[in-house]
Amino acid sequence: MSVITTSYQFWHTYGSDIQNGAVVLSAIAAFAVINDNRALAKRRGTMDLILHQESDRELVDARTEFNKIKAGDVRPSTYGKSDRINDKEAQYIRRVLNVHELTAVAIQQGVIDECVYRTWFNTTYIKDYEAMKDYIVQARITYGNPCAFSEFEATAIRWKEDRAWGAPPSIIKRKWKALKGIFTA
């Protein structure tokens, strides 16, 4: 048998399987590239957010005043009462907590990369929550919104618990929990 005849028979017999395999491998490679690009874009977006938060003059000024309030003698909950909600201090607190809330929502929705953001802001985020717990409770009462700053609160508590137990980053914990659920179901 000649090489041409053997090649023809081989291709005639297995050619469609080879083509199908090539299509499947191409699709897998395309999904891998798309997934990598999505993760890279998410990390880049997180870095852009961090850079913005660190360079936005109004936010930096609000953050400076917020830190003075945290270190001051007046309890932050005072600024959550209805007669103080228009004070500059209350505005600074709301501005910083609103940024934290928005960030927590973005993390929860998968818009930004939690590991990157947490690497930069972990301690600050937790300390801000600890310092403003009373303010958050009072603001919920004053504004009649029991969900005010709830995503910020949940994220800060989760991060604090992860750190307290020396646990792996929560994203790994959540994936492990999901896998355990699959195998025990």
XYZ file of all heavy atoms in Angstrom, residues 10-25:
128
model
N -6.812 6.483 6.341
C -6.771 6.987 7.722
C -7.672 8.224 7.862
O -8.473 8.330 8.784
C -5.331 7.334 8.125
C -5.219 7.918 9.502
C -5.219 7.098 10.616
C -5.137 9.296 9.682
C -5.133 7.639 11.891
C -5.057 9.843 10.950
C -5.052 9.010 12.070
N -7.514 9.168 6.948
C -8.294 10.412 7.016
C -9.776 10.126 6.813
O -10.621 10.730 7.466
C -7.777 11.423 5.988
C -8.416 12.762 6.186
C -9.370 13.332 5.412
C -8.184 13.678 7.251
N -9.749 14.547 5.918
C -9.020 14.781 7.064
C -7.332 13.663 8.353
C -9.051 15.868 7.915
C -7.362 14.737 9.199
C -8.212 15.827 8.982
N -10.089 9.213 5.899
C -11.487 8.868 5.638
C -12.115 8.222 6.874
O -13.275 8.465 7.191
C -11.567 7.920 4.428
C -12.959 7.572 4.034
N -13.840 8.496 3.534
C -13.633 6.385 4.083
C -15.000 7.902 3.285
N -14.890 6.614 3.613
N -11.338 7.425 7.580
C -11.846 6.730 8.757
C -11.918 7.647 9.987
O -12.915 7.664 10.706
C -10.957 5.511 9.093
O -10.849 4.686 7.936
C -11.531 4.723 10.245
N -10.849 8.435 10.240
C -10.740 9.197 11.483
C -10.803 10.714 11.303
O -10.745 11.453 12.279
C -9.428 8.850 12.202
C -9.324 7.398 12.568
C -8.449 6.569 11.882
C -10.094 6.856 13.580
C -8.337 5.230 12.202
C -9.998 5.520 13.913
C -9.118 4.707 13.216
O -9.013 3.387 13.537
N -10.896 11.171 10.095
C -10.836 12.607 9.810
C -11.887 13.432 10.535
O -11.590 14.480 11.118
N -13.114 12.965 10.524
C -14.170 13.742 11.189
C -13.955 13.794 12.696
O -14.232 14.803 13.341
C -15.549 13.166 10.859
O -15.661 11.840 11.357
N -13.432 12.699 13.263
C -13.130 12.703 14.708
C -12.015 13.694 15.031
O -12.071 14.399 16.040
C -12.719 11.303 15.173
C -13.858 10.297 15.114
O -15.032 10.742 15.118
O -13.575 9.086 15.057
N -11.013 13.737 14.174
C -9.908 14.678 14.371
C -10.421 16.113 14.270
O -10.069 16.974 15.083
C -8.772 14.404 13.368
C -8.123 13.049 13.681
C -7.736 15.527 13.379
C -7.153 12.572 12.618
N -11.266 16.376 13.265
C -11.827 17.721 13.103
C -12.681 18.097 14.312
O -12.593 19.212 14.823
C -12.666 17.805 11.828
C -11.849 17.821 10.574
C -12.718 17.811 9.329
O -13.855 17.328 9.362
N -12.177 18.333 8.235
N -13.505 17.186 14.769
C -14.346 17.463 15.942
C -13.491 17.718 17.179
O -13.776 18.618 17.973
C -15.312 16.308 16.202
C -16.378 16.199 15.140
O -16.655 17.172 14.431
N -16.974 15.024 15.013
N -12.440 16.925 17.324
C -11.522 17.128 18.450
C -10.850 18.490 18.374
O -10.690 19.181 19.387
N -10.464 18.891 17.175
C -9.828 20.200 16.993
C -10.796 21.328 17.336
O -10.416 22.329 17.958
C -9.314 20.347 15.563
N -12.047 21.168 16.947
C -13.061 22.188 17.261
C -13.257 22.275 18.776
O -13.313 23.373 19.348
C -14.401 21.871 16.542
C -15.527 22.727 17.079
C -14.249 22.043 15.034
N -13.345 21.129 19.438
C -13.525 21.114 20.897
C -12.317 21.742 21.590
O -12.470 22.577 22.492
C -13.767 19.664 21.400
C -13.681 19.596 22.924
C -15.121 19.163 20.930
N -11.116 21.374 21.178
C -9.918 21.959 21.769
C -9.849 23.468 21.525
O -9.451 24.233 22.406
C -8.659 21.283 21.238
C -8.407 19.864 21.756
C -7.185 19.248 21.064
C -8.219 19.864 23.257
